[in-house]
Amino acid sequence: MGYYFNKNNASYHHLIVPKRFGGEETVANGAVLNGLTSHPYLHAIENIDYDRFLAITSEIIDEKALGRLDGSNLKRIDDILRGFEKEYAGRRTSKGKILIKPSYISERILTSKR
């Protein structure tokens, strides 16, 4: 999704079959995301804007099929995230927490200029 990660913050994300539907933690079913930024952000997006969540998931699945990170996929993910950020800027969760944490933006390695 355009965020650095290492073994200290790596987090498995179910891509094809969600954990809640019995999805296994396999290479084919998931991707490794940053557990402090991209993973919680993706799930926040899932709860608010499912279409954007599916669009990002599709880009990640495409990268898995390619067997590598791809600049065009990262650009499309960045564009999706920017659209989400524009639409939901300043919004809070039902628990009153900020929806788009500053780190979700500042720690993203952008493929396009801001």
Side-chain angles (χ1 to χ4, degrees), residues 4-99:
Y4 284 117
F5 71 91
N6 60 45
K7 68 180 182 179
N8 296 320
N9 66 19
S11 178
Y12 181 87
H13 175 70
H14 291 79
L15 278 176
I16 313 298
V17 180
K19 184 177 183 177
R20 67 184 174 274
F21 295 132
E24 297 182 25
E25 280 191 23
T26 63
V27 172
N29 190 46
V32 178
L33 299 176
N34 183 312
L36 304 175
T37 52
S38 58
H39 199 185
Y41 193 20
L42 185 57
H43 282 293
I45 293 167
E46 178 183 21
N47 291 329
I48 301 295
D49 191 329
Y50 196 66
D51 288 338
R52 282 191 173 110
F53 168 78
L54 290 177
I56 293 168
T57 298
S58 177
E59 295 298 331
I60 296 170
I61 291 170
D62 188 52
E63 287 179 316
K64 285 185 63 70
L66 291 171
R68 61 183 166 78
L69 294 176
D70 183 78
S72 60
N73 293 101
L74 292 173
K75 167 81 170 83
R76 285 190 293 271
I77 291 169
D78 185 54
D79 289 343
I80 295 164
L81 293 173
R82 286 171 184 252
F84 182 83
E85 290 156 5
K86 183 176 181 180
E87 185 171 346
Y88 296 99
R91 185 161 170 187
R92 296 192 173 268
T93 68
S94 60
K95 295 180 180 179
K97 296 183 179 182
I98 190 162
L99 176 63

